[in-house]
Amino acid sequence: MNWRQYVKKYGLIEWPYPVRYGEEREIEADVLVLGGGIAGCWAAISAARKGLKVVLVEKGATVKSGSGGSGCDHWLNTPHPGTDVTAEEIVGWELEMTEGYCNALSRYIAARESYETLLEMEQMGGVIRDLKDEFKGAPFRDEKTKFLFAYDYKSRIHFRVRGSTFKVALHKECKRLGVKILDRVMATGLLTEGGRNGARVVGATGLHCRTGEFFIFKARAVVNGLSRHQRNWCFSTEIRGNANFRPTQIVGDGHAMSWRAGAEFTMMEKSLPTSFASGNVFQPYSHGNGINTWVPCTMVDANGKEIPWVDRDGRILKTVEERCMPAPGQRFMGERTQGYTHKRPELIPDLEERIRKGEYTLPLYADLTGMPEHERRVIWGLMVGEEGKTRVPVYIYYNEAGFDPARDLLQSYMFLGGDPMRGSVRPQDRTGGEIGDAGGLVTDWNLMTNLEGYFAAGDALFAANYHYHAAATGRYAGRKAAEYAEKTKFSPIDRKQVARERRWVYRPLENRDELEWKELNAAACRIMQNYCGEYKNEELLKLALISLRELQEQDAPRVCVDNPHKLMRTLEVYNILTCNEMIVHASMARKASSQILGFTRLDYPELDPPEWKKWILLRNEEGSIKTRDLPLDFWKPLKENYEKNR
């Protein structure tokens, strides 16, 4: 029975939960963790192990929520006793890849603590070894430890893991340690000392997404484990489906509330043209390719002709195993980088040109049939089976439909317009936080922001990425927040600030027009496409601010809300509007173009001039935008700073 048939037979479903708009619950915690994703869970566990009272607030269901909730196939950048690659070298390849636009501070913390974090994950029940000997004898398996590795079989710094077991284990450990988990509660605002912008953070407010109940949290320390901004340029609930990495309900709630409180951000001007969020592509890894999860897959053309792999020097690789081995003289390979030093083998770089000349015929196919059995099973089984969001809609559904990787080819949409990683993209189809490094909070070596008592981890940080980074920085931030809480007293909550937050949360209930939150989001995206898209100048950016302000003042108050779920969705779009303003202000502050940031100013066309190779920091001071800058390497020296603060 489909939805239309159901409504015809039974009528529309009434809201199934008791509605309690305006009712208040006040909760006290030594450490309050906002967000129950990978970073948030690790922060809560780390703080709870100090014996403190920890409360975790999550908009969804913690057991599977967040970017890494459904799984991950690899645990990257991890020095360990089985390799001689150091944390300094690992941060080095990321700095090379990003030309210095990398949060080396948090990446170094992650590299130094990643292995300990992984072993702790195993103690909690996460599966990180090949204990059933499924891949015994494979070149990517260490026979002594039974660890499995990816991408670089020689240096072995990238682990293959069964990440679908991780979130369940984290949730179980939180409960075992007595962490109070409040699922279906959206964090809506930060509470500061005296209610002042820029002051110490002493708590937060929240909204129950099913009942509409209002929450007031009082805390000695607060950790932001929320994710980054999304849906700023592209939004389509109808055709987007699973065509993005992170869940679509991740919108930058944490960014917006931090901005309103006066926290400092950087890198918000970065955006890239990709079709990830556009609704014009298929789900990542649901079709054949030779990238990331599918490395080192054999690719063939429509006539069965194999497409060669080459190393960084253009040397044709003759065996499958060579695709995961460093080139002669190469120290080790990054997970993905175009920088020569750590570049991984890839399909011939002039493939598109050769297709145009007729050397290869479209469509292309992933051909696992002729690969060594352990390579076939580790791609189709472990990697595709464990990658975030692929387990059910790709691995299980394809298997149920009869796909057999030992017999069948899987069509690729490379060059056909449906591949999110290779294909034509409209310039205005841009992404900010959907994929890759993105803008976020700036912290010190304790991962504390410029707001005292307010810590950040995972995707809340600028230039954050990957599961291992979220886990390790969450674990670190929880530890630091606990240390801070142990020597800090509770501060009184400012009731005037609470009243302001209540009015902001419930204001959409007063609306009587019939505009939907989706329409507001789509309008916000159109403004960003038109005035803060591929090309920017001062005039366009001013128009963006004017248009966003008009949207907030004239159309946002017209959005209709008739249950707590729609109230939550509407507040999310309000937060998207705030993030859009942050992006525009950041774009106005950078008066130079930058290739690595995907940033083109027509009125400042010079690309990456030396004087503009720096971080531009922004904060909101009572409605006034304050900026300052930092050198790209403000984190130096890495080892000494880490040792001093760990």
Side-chain angles (χ1 to χ4, degrees), residues 284-337:
Y285 312 121
S286 65
H287 53 97
N289 62 48
I291 304 170
N292 306 109
T293 289
W294 282 80
V295 168
C297 178
T298 297
M299 298 294 295
V300 298
D301 77 350
N303 299 315
K305 185 178 180 181
E306 185 171 329
I307 299 166
W309 282 69
V310 295
D311 67 11
R312 65 174 183 172
D313 298 311
R315 189 172 61 101
I316 299 291
L317 304 177
K318 297 177 182 175
T319 68
V320 172
E321 189 174 338
E322 280 184 304
R323 301 169 190 170
C324 293
M325 297 296 284
Q330 189 174 21
R331 168 84 169 127
F332 69 94
M333 299 189 291
E335 180 261 351
R336 73 187 81 177
T337 175

Side-chain angles (χ1 to χ4, degrees), residues 281-523:
V281 294
F282 294 101
Q283 176 172 335
Y285 312 121
S286 65
H287 53 97
N289 62 48
I291 304 170
N292 306 109
T293 289
W294 282 80
V295 168
C297 178
T298 297
M299 298 294 295
V300 298
D301 77 350
N303 299 315
K305 185 178 180 181
E306 185 171 329
I307 299 166
W309 282 69
V310 295
D311 67 11
R312 65 174 183 172
D313 298 311
R315 189 172 61 101
I316 299 291
L317 304 177
K318 297 177 182 175
T319 68
V320 172
E321 189 174 338
E322 280 184 304
R323 301 169 190 170
C324 293
M325 297 296 284
Q330 189 174 21
R331 168 84 169 127
F332 69 94
M333 299 189 291
E335 180 261 351
R336 73 187 81 177
T337 175
Q338 290 304 307
Y340 176 79
T341 307
H342 303 104
K343 189 175 182 179
R344 235 175 38 195
E346 60 183 2
L347 295 172
I348 45 176
D350 58 346
L351 177 57
E352 184 172 2
E353 185 181 345
R354 296 199 196 192
I355 289 171
R356 290 180 185 277
K357 290 179 178 177
E359 185 175 344
Y360 298 100
T361 305
L362 294 175
L364 308 181
Y365 294 87
D367 182 4
L368 297 172
T369 64
M371 296 185 71
E373 185 186 356
H374 47 253
E375 295 287 0
R376 179 169 63 244
R377 288 193 293 110
V378 85
I379 292 175
W380 190 264
L382 196 156
M383 301 298 278
V384 174
E386 299 292 333
E387 171 66 271
K389 298 178 73 175
T390 61
R391 184 169 186 79
V392 174
V394 181
Y395 183 67
I396 291 178
Y397 284 3
Y398 282 30
N399 284 344
E400 289 178 353
F403 176 72
D404 180 353
R407 183 194 62 202
D408 302 319
L409 307 184
L410 187 61
Q411 187 184 312
S412 169
Y413 289 88
M414 289 165 62
F415 310 109
L416 302 183
D419 188 315
M421 297 183 181
R422 289 191 183 189
S424 58
V425 181
R426 297 190 314 158
Q428 62 268 41
D429 287 343
R430 308 185 74 77
T431 54
E434 278 86 346
I435 188 169
D437 298 354
L441 286 159
V442 180
T443 68
D444 62 16
W445 275 94
N446 291 317
L447 293 186
M448 186 161 75
T449 69
N450 62 308
L451 305 182
E452 186 185 339
Y454 187 46
F455 299 78
D459 274 355
L461 299 162
F462 81 91
N465 210 353
Y466 302 120
H467 192 116
Y468 86 98
H469 178 269
T473 57
R475 179 173 174 267
Y476 185 95
R479 187 169 81 231
K480 291 296 180 180
E483 291 170 1
Y484 176 86
E486 284 175 329
K487 58 186 180 186
T488 306
K489 295 180 179 178
F490 284 104
S491 282
I493 297 296
D494 183 82
R495 291 294 159 181
K496 289 182 181 177
Q497 188 177 34
V498 171
R500 287 198 300 272
E501 290 295 331
R502 271 179 61 106
R503 283 199 299 275
W504 182 80
V505 166
Y506 289 128
R507 188 181 303 157
L509 295 173
E510 301 169 5
N511 302 340
R512 292 293 178 266
D513 284 344
E514 295 184 353
L515 199 66
E516 285 279 343
W517 61 269
K518 295 180 183 178
E519 295 172 271
L520 189 67
N521 197 159

Side-chain angles (χ1 to χ4, degrees), residues 243-265:
N244 63 319
F245 273 126
R246 290 169 171 78
T248 51
Q249 65 268 32
I250 287 174
V251 298
D253 295 329
H255 280 28
M257 74 176 74
S258 302
W259 176 256
R260 291 193 289 268
E264 207 164 38
F265 283 79

Side-chain angles (χ1 to χ4, degrees), residues 224-296:
N224 180 347
L226 295 161
S227 198
R228 63 239 319 240
H229 56 297
Q230 290 194 136
R231 292 167 34 188
N232 307 99
W233 282 271
C234 299
F235 176 62
S236 170
T237 55
E238 280 68 29
I239 59 174
R240 190 185 198 186
N242 266 340
N244 63 319
F245 273 126
R246 290 169 171 78
T248 51
Q249 65 268 32
I250 287 174
V251 298
D253 295 329
H255 280 28
M257 74 176 74
S258 302
W259 176 256
R260 291 193 289 268
E264 207 164 38
F265 283 79
T266 194
M267 212 179 182
M268 291 299 292
E269 68 271 34
K270 184 190 176 208
S271 69
L272 294 172
T274 71
S275 48
F276 259 110
S278 68
N280 299 321
V281 294
F282 294 101
Q283 176 172 335
Y285 312 121
S286 65
H287 53 97
N289 62 48
I291 304 170
N292 306 109
T293 289
W294 282 80
V295 168

